[in-house]
Amino acid sequence: MRYLAAIAALALPLAPVLAQEKPAVPTVPKPAALIADGMPAVPAELAAETRPYMEFRTAGFVGWHPTERRMMIATRFANTAQLHLVAQPMGMRKQVSFEAEPVGNGSWAPKTGDVFVTQKDIGGNEFFQIHTLKDGKLTMLTDGKSRNGLSAWSDDGELIAYSSTKRNGTDTDLYVMNPRDPSTARMVAEVKGGGWSLAAFAPDKKSAVVGSYVSVTNTDLYMLDLASGVMTPIGDPKKDIAYGGAQFAPDGSLWVTSDEGADFQRLGTLDAKTGKFTPRGPKENWDVDTFDIAPDGSFIAYVTNEAGMAKLKLLDPKTDQVRTVDSLPAGIIGGLEISEWGEIGITFTSARSAADAYSVDPKTMAVTRWTESETGGLDVTKNSEPELVKIKSFDGLEVSGFLYRPDPAKFPGKRPMIMNVHGGPEGQSRPGFLGRNNYLLNEQGVAIFFPNVRGSTGYGKTFVSLDNGPFKREDSVKDMGAFLDALAKDPALDAGSFGLTGGSYGGYMCYAAAVQFKTKLRATNCIVAISNFVTFLENTQSYRRDLRRVEYGDERDPKQRAKLIEISPLTRVGEIEKPMMVVTGANDPRVPQSEADQIVKAIRERGATAWHLVGTNEGHGFAKKENADYQFWTSLIFWQQNLLSK
């Protein structure tokens, strides 16, 4: 391709200036907030050639207005995603928030819609402040310093509930407020820990269901008296049960998802006095990810996660009969909400569709598209659709992932491949729209594989627990090795041209792969990644530290600390031989920049190659378009020099 010559020119060693020297290769200005350390500039020709793939948009359904048939969506027209109103299907997207930072969620007051409440942070620091939005302006309701999280409205639209670290910077105490008057804010529960939220007000507003998230397999529920602050456990908190999505139906019954007595999250009712969970509807052999109850109680919409594919289903609570919305193609569903008049709003995305807002008529099951996001003029129907790959890992456990292959007619022969590992670790790779990465598939002929190693969600609580603690952690790393070995045997893939990338926990996996699979990989691109579990646990924000100790291990325990150090990639940094790119957000509250700094320094001290891209106005991943574009361009140059060039 034309820009490859420009990249090659940038990679040449500097030579003495001669009278006949060719003009310098035009380059793209680097965004002011980025620090590009040890990497070449981006050729303007590369930016021009990739431009269509950079100009896609997405639209996420945020919520229905309670009295008018219009919806709020989040989409991006400039540098960050903002809120927009859409008054009819395929109608104009009218921007209503205008911030430098992303504003992508929120909700109207139920019944009246007189107030819209949202939250926003600064530079990706995740210290969210709660605001009202009116006439394009945000009015802050919280203190501007603590971390706050919106949770629930009272049914009548008077009160909002939120969590806040205001008291001590660590514990997520629970508050209620009338957002029309911030002086009404009051603490209703002082708690210990960073995983608390108020899930649902009781219809009389005298009590509320409260959840304490301990781990992905353990959420304790309580009934909170809003006047006295007394919390009464719902069931036995000593049991290892995960609950989700607590909601009261119009008849007063409490609906939740729960994995009690099962390996997957099931939909059902929960007796708030006895803690007895009663599954409702047909038995699902997959997780119920989310649900919403129609305002009149006539049906419940819920979404199942079936090997990564989403299914939208409607349950009649009187008969337990279920109907499935079959007119949606294979893809991912999010943002589920039922309007006051019964229309279901969702976000839907697939390999051949950028995320957009849709509605479903519960009577006819007809699906209506509300937005059609631009995709840079590209025909997305030609995008590669993923192939589900299943293998047996080192210990016989079945693990799977999604493989996107380039068009064999355009790119015959064996193709290079990049493995892209998800974060979490309680996350899941699912078959969605690949955005910029479609350039790798469609224009460079690079296959992309998204594994779901042990510890991923979506495959039951047994599977998600198989990597817990420091002594099981590297079993998930071994799963990556098993995938690399299996894919090396694929006749359409070039085993000599494999690379690997990942973000957050996937970034740790990326570092670990650079150490343990250096003979199987030519390069790695590690993003907002953990390099040393001990320093990570000591330096991650205090409100989340105990939650991460449950997953990774407790660095305060001598035996666990020793194992955490042993399995940390920084401990074995001397074994990293192949080129690495590292991407960091300077304001990241989860994985601090120091995790990247220390491994980049150690790699370079040993004479190996480490590129380092730092976003000084970013957090746990790049959210601003100009930064994300530059990250992609530098990643392309990195792969071209270290993976695609023979």
Side-chain angles (χ1 to χ4, degrees):
M1 296 178 180
R2 291 175 299 163
Y3 78 84
L4 299 186
I7 292 175
L10 287 171
L12 291 174
L14 296 175
V17 178
L18 302 176
Q20 298 84 9
E21 185 177 2
K22 294 181 180 180
V25 175
T27 59
V28 173
K30 177 180 63 64
L34 293 186
I35 300 171
D37 179 15
M39 60 180 64
V42 174
E45 194 170 3
L46 181 153
E49 186 166 326
T50 59
R51 181 64 62 189
Y53 289 89
M54 318 300 277
E55 297 306 320
F56 73 97
R57 300 188 217 280
T58 62
F61 171 74
V62 174
W64 292 107
H65 191 280
T67 64
E68 304 169 6
R69 189 176 183 252
R70 52 181 176 145
M71 64 169 62
M72 190 77 81
I73 66 163
T75 191
R76 179 198 55 74
F77 277 87
N79 200 33
T80 59
Q82 298 294 319
L83 294 169
H84 296 68
L85 277 174
V86 181
Q88 62 186 21
M90 304 305 290
M92 178 183 69
R93 294 159 291 185
K94 180 181 178 182
Q95 189 166 341
V96 294
S97 71
F98 304 88
E99 299 296 311
E101 302 291 346
V103 182
N105 61 13
S107 56
W108 277 288
K111 308 301 182 185
T112 64
D114 64 315
V115 178
F116 187 90
V117 179
T118 186
Q119 61 186 32
K120 180 179 73 70
D121 72 351
I122 297 174
N125 66 5
E126 299 185 21
F127 277 73
F128 297 102
Q129 303 303 317
I130 298 173
H131 302 73
T132 54
L133 172 63
K134 184 178 181 180
D135 298 330
K137 296 181 180 180
L138 295 182
T139 300
M140 189 182 298
L141 305 180
T142 42
D143 64 2
K145 297 178 288 185
S146 57
R147 173 183 163 88
N148 304 274
L150 279 170
S151 50
W153 281 95
S154 60
D155 286 346
D156 62 1
E158 180 191 6
L159 301 175
I160 58 166
Y162 62 100
S163 60
S164 179
T165 62
K166 178 180 179 180
R167 178 172 55 88
N168 61 9
T170 297
D171 300 314
T172 50
D173 299 325
L174 304 179
Y175 293 76
V176 298
M177 173 202 298
N178 184 331
R180 302 157 188 84
D181 180 5
S183 69
T184 62
R186 65 185 181 94
M187 184 194 295
V188 293
E190 181 177 312
V191 300
K192 178 69 174 175
W196 291 83
S197 64
L198 193 154
F201 285 92
D204 62 6
K205 291 191 297 184
K206 294 181 179 179
S207 59
V209 176
V210 167
S212 172
Y213 178 92
V214 179
S215 73
V216 70
T217 60
N218 187 356
T219 302
D220 299 325
L221 294 184
Y222 299 83
M223 188 61 72
L224 169 66
D225 185 297
L226 292 173
S228 68
V230 173
M231 281 197 281
T232 304
I234 300 176
D236 184 359
K238 295 180 181 179
K239 290 184 177 180
D240 198 27
I241 301 170
Y243 294 101
Q247 287 189 45
F248 286 97
D251 64 3
S253 58
L254 177 61
W255 288 75
V256 298
T257 62
S258 172
D259 61 8
E260 183 176 10
D263 206 37
F264 292 94
Q265 287 282 312
R266 297 177 294 174
L267 179 65
T269 55
L270 184 66
D271 189 310
K273 294 181 178 179
T274 67
K276 181 182 178 181
F277 174 71
T278 303
R280 299 290 301 273
K283 181 180 179 181
E284 301 284 359
N285 293 318
W286 302 97
D287 279 336
V288 175
D289 275 352
T290 185
F291 70 94
D292 195 24
I293 303 173
D296 63 3
S298 61
F299 71 94
I300 298 173
Y302 67 96
V303 176
T304 54
N305 175 354
E306 304 183 6
M309 305 287 188
K311 292 285 187 181
L312 176 60
K313 302 179 181 183
L314 308 185
L315 170 71
D316 183 333
K318 293 181 179 179
T319 65
D320 274 4
Q321 296 298 305
V322 168
R323 297 175 293 152
T324 301
V325 179
D326 293 320
S327 51
L328 286 170
I332 306 170
I333 295 170
L336 177 69
E337 182 182 293
I338 304 173
S339 70
E340 287 291 329
W341 52 93
E343 195 169 4
I344 304 164
I346 60 170
T347 303
F348 176 80
T349 183
S350 70
R352 293 181 173 176
S353 174
D356 273 307
Y358 294 77
S359 68
V360 178
D361 185 322
K363 295 180 180 179
T364 65
M365 307 293 273
V367 176
T368 300
R369 188 169 191 163
W370 280 66
T371 62
E372 187 172 3
S373 295
E374 295 82 357
T375 54
L378 299 169
D379 183 359
V380 295
T381 64
K382 295 181 180 179
N383 286 346
S384 171
E385 289 198 298
E387 166 191 334
L388 181 63
V389 175
K390 297 180 180 180
I391 68 163
K392 296 291 185 180
S393 192
F394 69 96
D395 56 356
L397 179 73
E398 182 178 88
V399 289
S400 62
F402 292 97
L403 177 62
Y404 292 75
R405 299 180 186 270
D407 182 357
K410 184 175 181 180
F411 299 102
K414 291 178 175 289
R415 303 308 308 166
M417 184 201 74
I418 297 172
M419 182 182 291
N420 190 323
V421 187
H422 68 70
E426 308 101 335
Q428 184 186 18
S429 287
R430 304 180 66 181
F433 189 70
L434 295 188
R436 295 172 179 85
N437 282 330
N438 281 312
Y439 179 83
L440 287 165
L441 279 161
N442 298 342
E443 307 300 337
Q444 294 202 316
V446 178
I448 306 176
F449 178 67
F450 295 86
N452 284 311
V453 298
R454 70 190 66 206
S456 302
T457 52
Y459 305 94
K461 64 182 179 184
T462 300
F463 189 88
V464 79
S465 302
L466 291 176
D467 67 342
N468 285 358
F471 298 97
K472 296 181 180 178
R473 179 59 46 206
E474 290 197 318
D475 286 351
S476 61
V477 177
K478 293 176 184 177
D479 289 341
M480 284 195 302
F483 277 122
L484 289 170
D485 289 341
L487 293 167
K489 300 174 184 177
D490 189 306
L493 299 178
D494 179 3
S497 297
F498 282 3
L500 191 142
T501 188
S504 189
Y505 175 74
Y508 152 72
M509 297 283 272
C510 181
Y511 287 153
V515 171
Q516 300 187 36
F517 308 127
K518 56 181 176 288
T519 62
K520 301 175 183 180
L521 298 170
R522 289 186 60 186
T524 50
N525 185 347
C526 307
I527 303 163
V528 294
I530 300 167
S531 62
N532 182 317
F533 281 110
V534 171
T535 56
F536 158 72
L537 289 166
E538 290 174 341
N539 295 314
T540 193
Q541 284 290 330
S542 60
Y543 63 81
R544 63 191 310 276
R545 190 169 295 138
D546 284 341
L547 299 174
R548 293 296 80 198
R549 284 170 174 153
V550 174
E551 172 64 35
Y552 295 125
D554 192 334
E555 83 287 0
R556 298 167 299 182
D557 177 272
K559 290 184 179 180
Q560 293 192 52
R561 185 183 185 91
K563 187 64 176 179
L564 287 167
I565 292 173
E566 177 189 330
I567 65 175
S568 293
L570 188 63
T571 302
R572 300 174 62 180
V573 69
E575 299 177 58
I576 296 177
E577 301 172 356
K578 304 294 179 61
M580 177 181 289
M581 179 171 173
V582 176
V583 180
T584 311
N587 304 319
D588 192 340
R590 306 186 195 191
V591 182
Q593 181 182 339
S594 53
E595 289 297 302
D597 290 342
Q598 62 192 8
I599 201 164
V600 168
K601 181 175 182 285
I603 290 171
R604 289 176 176 174
E605 285 178 345
R606 288 159 175 79
T609 299
W611 297 13
H612 194 189
L613 184 65
V614 182
T616 62
N617 62 345
E618 298 283 9
H620 200 61
F622 287 8
K624 297 177 175 66
K625 184 180 185 297
E626 64 176 0
N627 295 341
D629 286 352
Y630 202 85
Q631 177 190 352
F632 184 72
W633 289 326
T634 53
S635 296
L636 279 179
I637 298 171
F638 178 78
W639 292 127
Q640 178 58 40
Q641 291 187 7
N642 300 296
L643 179 68
L644 305 183
S645 297
K646 294 294 187 180

